[in-house]
């Protein structure tokens, strides 16, 4: 997934800061050496003069000028190394230092994103998703069906299969999921599993509980200062690759909150941006609680995934 301009600029600022910091460190080291190592500054000045002199010779037709310059500079470098050694400093004391030697803190190697850039990208996506702390407490290494039996087990297998397909085909197929059913049966867990998988494959994910989403939309709508000081948060909600709304139905439901939710969902439908919703409400309760427009969007555009059974959190 290509980064948005704002995401790219955020990462580029990190690399710009790395380069600025290392330049400052190198300048401080050079200033120390010039002050405390006798003759070192004079050698640097001699190298600069030689470069100018040999450049003039080269322009005047001296074909040996460049080779002579290399030999003279090499000799002066050896003198510099000897001076650093005499001052009990390592020979590479004034060599550039990089956080990532592979790309020299540019973020790119041979025109391709360096591994450090990919890591920075993933870190940014995690931070922007609002889900980092939640994921840190979850273990996805062994998703188990041992808590389910009978019809509950069938529901779990069906839902888990749809979840894996959603992740596998995410880049090619547009789908939306809604996990619904009884409390503690793994709905939020599977939502988080989707978030982690897609973030690690480079997709932008935003995670909100229904309560937090409603609060944010209300603050933005009514607080003029928030609107003037920050970029429109709705753009991120509409444009991120995946929006996860957790625990739909726990928020305070008003005509205003329902209208804002409809706008958010409808914009994402129009832009073919996927949404995952989890809720403890039944299909009937969803229909009764929300407007016909929202329920129509849900029933017509979402794959419903039912999870039932005991409260796994209580069993654990």
């Amino acid at each position: 997934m290509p980064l948005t301009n704002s995401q790219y600029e955020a990462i580029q600022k990190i690399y710009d800061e790395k380069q600025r910091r290392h330049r400052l460190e190198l300048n401080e080291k050079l200033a120390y050496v010039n002050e405390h190592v006798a003759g070192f500054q004079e050698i640097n000045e001699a190298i600069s003069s030689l470069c100018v002199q040999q450049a003039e010779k080269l322009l005047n037709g001296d074909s040996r000028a460049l080779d002579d310059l290399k030999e003279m500079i090499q000799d002066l470098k050896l003198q510099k190394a000897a001076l650093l050694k005499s001052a009990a400093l390592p020979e590479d004391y004034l060599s550039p230092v990089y956080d990532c030697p592979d790309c020299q803190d540019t973020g790119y190697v041979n025109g391709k994103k360096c591994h450090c850039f990919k890591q920075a990208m993933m870190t940014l996506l995690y931070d922007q998703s609002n889900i980092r702390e939640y994921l840190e407490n979850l273990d996805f290494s062994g998703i188990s069906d041992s808590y389910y039996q009978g019809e509950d087990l069938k529901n779990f297998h069906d839902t888990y299969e749809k979840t894996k397909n959603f992740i596998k085909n995410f880049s090619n197929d547009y789908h939306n999921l809604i996990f619904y059913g009884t409390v503690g049966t793994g709905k939020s867990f599977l939502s988080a599993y989707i978030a982690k998988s897609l973030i690690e494959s480079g997709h932008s994910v935003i995670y909100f509980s229904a309560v937090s989403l409603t609060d944010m939309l209300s603050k933005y709508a009514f607080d003029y200062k928030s609107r003037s000081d920050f970029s429109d948060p709705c753009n991120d909600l509409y444009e991120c690759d995946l929006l996860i709304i957790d625990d739909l139905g726990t928020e305070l439901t008003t005509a205003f909150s329902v209208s804002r939710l409809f706008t958010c969902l409808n914009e994402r439908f129009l832009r073919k941006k996927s949404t995952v919703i989890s809720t403890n409400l039944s299909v009937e309760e969803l229909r009764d609680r929300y407007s016909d427009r929202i329920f129509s969007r849900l029933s017509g555009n979402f794959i419903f995934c039912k999870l039932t059974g005991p409260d796994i959190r209580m069993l654990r």
Side-chain angles (χ1 to χ4, degrees), residues 183-292:
V183 175
T185 49
K187 298 181 295 297
S188 295
F189 181 87
L190 289 179
S191 296
Y193 174 60
I194 291 173
K196 181 176 186 295
S197 300
L198 293 183
I199 288 173
E200 291 184 351
S201 62
H203 293 89
S204 58
V205 177
I206 292 181
Y207 170 94
F208 272 108
S209 69
V211 172
S212 297
L213 179 62
T214 300
D215 289 346
M216 187 274 288
L217 292 174
S218 297
K219 179 181 179 181
Y220 173 74
F222 295 116
D223 187 342
Y224 177 78
K225 188 175 186 298
S226 294
R227 284 186 287 174
S228 60
D229 287 352
F230 303 101
S231 60
D232 189 343
C234 291
N235 288 333
D236 293 332
L237 289 177
Y238 299 158
E239 286 296 335
C240 65
D241 294 329
L242 176 67
L243 172 64
I244 296 178
I245 305 174
D246 195 27
D247 278 338
L248 184 69
T250 57
E251 78 283 5
L252 178 63
T253 306
T254 64
F256 171 77
S257 67
V258 170
S259 69
R260 296 294 286 180
L261 176 61
F262 173 82
T263 298
C264 179
L265 293 176
N266 195 53
E267 282 292 335
R268 292 188 62 79
F269 297 151
L270 294 174
R271 303 178 194 208
K272 293 195 177 299
K273 298 292 185 177
S274 294
T275 305
V276 169
I277 295 175
S278 70
T279 180
N280 293 328
L281 300 177
S282 66
V283 174
E284 292 76 15
E285 288 170 327
L286 283 170
R287 183 174 56 241
D288 294 341
R289 186 179 184 111
Y290 297 98
S291 67
D292 290 339

Side-chain angles (χ1 to χ4, degrees), residues 1-27:
M1 180 210 74
L3 293 172
T4 65
N5 289 338
S6 61
Q7 288 170 335
Y8 178 83
E9 289 171 1
I11 295 178
Q12 192 58 53
K13 284 181 180 179
I14 296 174
Y15 281 95
D16 291 343
E17 175 57 26
K18 288 180 182 181
Q19 294 171 24
R20 187 201 66 79
R21 173 165 47 85
H22 290 312
R23 282 196 301 269
L24 180 60
E25 292 171 355
L26 189 59
N27 288 338

Side-chain angles (χ1 to χ4, degrees), residues 144-161:
S144 173
D145 62 4
S146 60
Y147 297 102
Y148 306 92
Q149 295 181 6
E151 187 67 22
D152 300 334
L153 181 61
K154 181 178 180 300
N155 286 337
F156 172 77
H157 284 162
D158 180 61
T159 293
Y160 187 43
E161 193 63 29

